[in-house]
Amino acid sequence: MTISTIKTAPYEGQKPGTSGLRKKVKVFQQPNYAENFIQSVFDVVEGKEGALLVIGGDGRFHNRTVIQQAIRMAAANGFGKVMVGQGGIFSTPAASNLIRQYGAIGGLILSASHNPGGPDEDFGIKYNVSNGGPAPEKVTDAIFQRTTSIDRWLTVETPDIDLDALGTVDVGGMTVEIVDSVADYAALMETLFDFDAIRAMAAGGFRMAFDAMSAVTGPYAHEIFEKRLGFAPGTVRNGTPLEDFGHHHPDPNLVHAKALYDLMMSADAPDFGAASDGDGDRNLIIGKGRFVTPSDSLAMLAANAHLAKGYKAGLKGIARSMPTSAAADRVAQALGIACYETPTGWKFFGNLLDAGMATICGEESAGTGSDHVREKDGVWAVLLWLNILAVRKIPVDDLARDHWARFGRNYYARHDYEGLPTDKANALIAELTAALPALPGKRFGPLTIAAADSFSYADPVDGSVSANQGLRVMFEGGSRVVFRLSGTGTEGATLRVYLERYEPAGGALDEETPAMLADLIAAADAIAGIERHTGRTAPDVVT
Ligand code: G16
């Protein structure tokens, strides 16, 4: 074995965002680029000598190339073993599970999540730590620091290995095990959910449509839903992972999963519709004639989770990201448990889960998960919904109405303004930040501002503080608008405006969301000057 030290000029620091480093494929294809970043990760990992590393990705274009590079570099950096998913495939939650199950020191997850894939699209690298979760800020900060001064990367001179053949091979003195991408994950799901009850529901004629969006959950969904649970062949749509996701945007929302939405609103809709994203951590839930917002899904799952065997002892707490609606807070209150409000990004849930302070977590961006792994988990969310429906034996729509009748309803929407010039987006945020102290008491139509602040989070476990996590404008009566800039885009800036209106139990629970949010939408533009700053009169995406 030869260990090569490849010298490279320091390159412009690469800052991992909420979910690792995301750039265009063409950027990752530049000489030394991916290697510089991977080496920066390896340089900050303590105790890697002889340790196990998990490597896999969502199968998008460039996945196999970077996996081969990462394997050679892991060998040269002294890891003892790497575990790689067959064909280079691991969903993000499956990788999180493997890290935990086999006591790995961490894992490299190659994905740009819900962003499109292909030679002209997006790629990403994320490092997860030994609890199976995304690296916390102190680690991503250290990786970033390292990227600003890195001047060499290490590799062994060995040929590519066969990523499709299960089994063990040696690369430069390090063991590489190619494992079944699905088996351990499916076994974990069987410990959490009552597969017999779901199987009986399927055998009784309950029909489901699951859209894997030509992304990573296809093999997981075929195995679990069709093979193990007995849903009819064809239940899983777009179930083969493609390098370009069939030219689609693998983001399970009402815009990009429109075909599923249209099916679920049609006369011959099946009983249950669901979708997952590029790397399998997000989920979309639609009942026959009823879309369930991710914020509501979190609240409804939390209220019913005890019906599944993995959660029958009850929940220790609930956690939600700040822009996620307060629907889950009302469930936590009724259950007599804590509800934590964290900044956007799954990494902020890790400490709460590790400390046993929360069991279920969720984000408005279609992420829901629990303490079974340290990532959000699309297939898990679908299975928990199925388990609950199998026990309660009511349609999704009835379950939602029941929930609102008890807890009230948080009407909710997110408006995204994409591809904005970064300076204009920054100017909007800076001006609004300066204006926050003067906002309370101001009226916008029927709405009066009760409070306004820039969200700052003090982690209750390690005391670390994360400031500037979004601007919150709270109105009297429980309505709210939140403004923040995306940390995951790869082109320009994306402004996200989160709109939420609370109607208490006994109030107007069966209205159309756009009409219920009209006053808030007008107030949001007046408060932030969206059109004045950006020239945009309407959002690009409404979810
Ligand atoms: C977006 C969402 C966040 C989510 C993040 C990563 O971040 O708003 O809620 O945590 O993506 O999600 P994934 O791991 O599925 O890519 P941002 O910063 O773009 O708003």
Side-chain angles (χ1 to χ4, degrees):
M1 169 193 67
T2 334
I3 294 189
S4 304
T5 302
I6 312 248
K7 291 226 182 298
T8 166
Y11 78 147
E12 163 219 352
Q14 304 299 313
K15 197 170 179 56
T18 8
S19 289
L21 182 66
R22 285 191 194 162
K23 299 278 178 192
K24 291 285 168 204
V25 166
K26 295 252 176 331
V27 175
F28 274 103
Q29 284 173 326
Q30 297 172 89
N32 302 328
Y33 187 92
E35 294 91 334
N36 271 332
F37 186 73
I38 293 169
Q39 186 65 50
S40 299
V41 172
F42 289 168
D43 282 346
V44 305
V45 175
E46 286 169 15
K48 58 184 172 286
E49 200 61 39
L52 171 66
L53 181 74
V54 168
I55 304 179
D58 62 10
R60 68 180 58 227
F61 184 82
H62 207 45
N63 193 41
R64 286 171 178 261
T65 307
V66 176
I67 286 179
Q68 300 283 2
Q69 292 168 338
I71 290 171
R72 281 190 282 266
M73 291 179 64
N77 277 275
F79 287 90
K81 177 175 176 181
V82 298
M83 205 176 247
V84 183
Q86 189 177 23
I89 293 284
F90 274 142
S91 75
T92 293
S96 179
N97 176 49
L98 279 196
I99 294 169
R100 297 166 65 76
Q101 187 175 337
Y102 293 99
I105 195 166
L108 286 175
I109 300 178
L110 310 175
S111 169
S113 189
H114 51 286
N115 294 12
D120 297 316
E121 300 295 353
D122 294 349
F123 192 74
I125 303 180
K126 177 164 95 153
Y127 182 65
N128 280 29
V129 294
S130 60
N131 75 348
E137 258 179 341
K138 63 176 188 305
V139 177
T140 52
D141 285 350
I143 293 168
F144 172 59
Q145 280 314 318
R146 186 65 191 127
T147 64
T148 61
S149 61
I150 186 153
D151 57 1
R152 59 91 183 91
W153 52 272
L154 307 178
T155 191
V156 294
E157 307 285 339
T158 51
D160 283 358
I161 60 165
D162 182 353
L163 294 175
D164 298 300
L166 292 175
T168 296
V169 294
D170 178 278
V171 172
M174 179 188 76
T175 305
V176 179
E177 185 181 359
I178 307 290
V179 300
D180 183 313
S181 312
V182 177
D184 286 313
Y185 177 83
L188 174 66
M189 293 299 111
E190 296 224 28
T191 68
L192 298 175
F193 303 115
D194 187 346
F195 273 44
D196 287 337
I198 302 173
R199 207 176 290 120
M201 181 170 73
F206 182 99
R207 291 188 304 132
M208 165 165 80
F210 179 84
D211 189 346
M213 305 190 88
S214 305
V216 81
T217 51
Y220 296 84
H222 279 302
E223 170 67 25
I224 294 172
F225 300 137
E226 293 178 354
K227 258 176 92 178
R228 298 197 187 196
L229 291 172
F231 283 99
T235 293
V236 177
R237 292 140 194 255
N238 303 312
T240 303
L242 302 176
E243 288 200 330
D244 63 354
F245 308 121
H247 294 300
H248 293 304
H249 202 120
D251 192 355
N253 61 35
L254 299 185
V255 178
H256 298 300
K258 188 164 184 311
L260 179 73
Y261 178 78
D262 290 346
L263 171 71
M264 295 309 297
M265 297 301 138
S266 73
D268 61 340
D271 301 284
F272 188 74
S276 190
D277 71 328
D279 64 330
D281 57 2
R282 296 187 176 200
N283 71 91
L284 171 69
I285 302 294
I286 315 178
K288 190 185 280 190
R290 169 63 65 194
F291 162 60
V292 182
T293 70
S295 294
D296 270 353
S297 179
L298 171 66
M300 291 168 190
L301 290 178
N304 293 284
H306 60 282
L307 301 176
K309 67 180 175 189
Y311 305 93
K312 67 171 186 290
L315 307 179
K316 293 172 184 146
I318 305 173
R320 65 166 172 85
S321 68
M322 181 273 282
T324 303
S325 93
D329 303 35
R330 297 177 202 286
V331 174
Q333 205 180 6
L335 294 174
I337 57 177
C339 189
Y340 301 92
E341 186 176 31
T342 62
T344 295
W346 206 261
K347 63 188 176 193
F348 292 100
F349 295 134
N351 278 351
L352 297 170
L353 295 168
D354 285 348
M357 295 165 76
T359 306
I360 282 193
C361 310
E363 295 195 278
E364 53 65 42
S365 52
T368 335
S370 86
D371 57 2
H372 67 291
V373 291
R374 293 295 180 273
E375 288 280 0
K376 53 191 183 261
D377 189 341
V379 170
W380 170 91
V382 175
L383 286 168
L384 182 50
W385 264 101
L386 290 173
N387 198 151
I388 290 166
L389 294 174
V391 175
R392 292 195 54 181
K393 302 186 195 314
I394 55 172
V396 172
D397 188 41
D398 290 6
L399 190 147
R401 287 169 190 276
D402 247 38
H403 188 94
W404 296 330
R406 182 167 167 213
F407 297 101
R409 179 170 178 187
N410 295 68
Y411 288 93
Y412 191 89
R414 187 176 95 185
H415 289 189
D416 291 342
Y417 299 80
E418 296 177 341
L420 300 175
T422 307
D423 55 335
K424 294 204 165 134
N426 288 341
L428 181 152
I429 293 292
E431 193 182 296
L432 181 54
T433 305
L436 290 175
L439 285 180
K442 285 205 169 147
R443 290 180 63 99
F444 293 87
L447 298 163
T448 304
I449 296 181
D453 66 8
S454 173
F455 181 59
S456 175
Y457 177 67
D459 187 304
V461 179
D462 65 18
S464 60
V465 174
S466 303
N468 304 320
Q469 297 294 324
L471 306 179
R472 302 192 287 190
V473 179
M474 276 78 77
F475 297 91
E476 287 171 6
S479 295
R480 191 178 73 150
V481 182
V482 171
F483 303 87
R484 65 177 280 280
L485 297 182
S486 159
T488 60
T490 55
E491 266 173 341
T494 296
L495 171 69
R496 303 203 196 282
V497 182
Y498 308 82
L499 305 140
E500 173 179 359
R501 168 169 171 178
Y502 180 61
E503 278 293 314
L509 301 179
D510 200 11
E511 304 298 323
E512 293 300 321
T513 298
M516 293 301 276
L517 296 180
D519 291 333
L520 272 174
I521 293 168
D525 186 50
I527 291 167
I530 299 170
E531 184 177 351
R532 177 167 51 83
H533 281 284
T534 67
R536 304 280 179 89
T537 52
D540 299 286
V541 179
V542 175
T543 51

